[in-house]
Amino acid sequence: MRVETTRFGALEAGEEEFLGFPDGLYGFGDVHRYLVVNRRGESPFQWLQSVDRPDLAFVVLDPSLFCPGYRIDLSAEDRQALGWDGRSALDVWVVVGVPDNPEKMTANLKGPIIVNRARRIGRQVILPGDEWSPRHNVIDGIRGERRAVFGG
């Protein structure tokens, strides 16, 4: 299938590559199909591109790369919505905001995106409490991890 995008031009993808978000993402509840685009092979950053809205794409990142203590407890409702049996792996991504100055790049740790790749279903959840910020500085997280690992 040909997917028209504003950012990447036309992409070819099979239906088996699409991720379904039955509830949409927060602020985009009417957009249900996305495609993962990784334009730079080795980059940890990926794009979550809407299949139905050419102009809608989010930069996403695995939070374990910059926040090693990040943990999520999924509710029974979230597990059911994802069709997750507790045995298969789930991907966890956070939406990244990339301003003109990349040093100020932030990630939404409060509202992670969980994907059951085996079932091709995703869901954005809002974590309870105040432990995680919707604007966590990614670069500070990477630097903090390096200080812990390398002692400096």
Side-chain angles (χ1 to χ4, degrees):
M1 177 179 179
R2 185 179 176 99
V3 177
E4 294 294 335
T5 72
T6 303
R7 183 170 301 278
F8 306 110
L11 300 173
E12 287 295 328
E15 287 282 338
E16 70 280 358
E17 296 179 70
F18 297 165
L19 297 175
F21 285 79
D23 298 321
L25 298 175
Y26 287 98
F28 302 92
D30 60 335
V31 182
H32 303 285
R33 296 186 311 158
Y34 289 85
L35 178 66
V36 177
V37 179
N38 188 343
R39 300 301 279 188
R40 295 188 183 162
E42 306 241 346
S43 174
F45 297 95
Q46 300 180 88
W47 290 88
L48 193 57
Q49 171 67 55
S50 168
V51 172
D52 303 309
R53 271 195 52 190
D55 64 320
L56 184 62
F58 301 97
V59 177
V60 294
L61 180 64
D62 176 344
S64 70
L65 297 174
F66 63 92
C67 190
Y70 190 62
R71 299 285 180 263
I72 297 170
D73 292 319
L74 290 178
S75 69
E77 177 185 344
D78 292 331
R79 287 190 293 261
Q80 182 178 6
L82 288 163
W84 188 53
D85 59 10
R87 294 186 297 258
S88 59
L90 296 175
D91 289 338
V92 177
W93 300 326
V94 291
V95 176
V96 177
V98 185
D100 289 337
N101 178 355
E103 290 281 322
K104 298 184 186 283
M105 181 180 350
T106 61
N108 181 356
L109 296 180
K110 183 76 171 166
I113 296 170
I114 315 300
V115 176
N116 181 341
R117 286 271 187 143
R119 307 249 348 234
R120 315 272 333 144
I121 297 172
R123 181 174 176 93
Q124 187 174 24
V125 300
I126 300 298
L127 301 178
D130 295 327
E131 184 176 4
W132 304 112
S133 169
R135 290 185 185 88
H136 181 87
N137 186 286
V138 173
I139 302 301
D140 285 351
I142 291 170
R143 287 181 180 145
E145 182 177 349
R146 286 188 181 150
R147 278 194 297 275
V149 173
F150 298 112

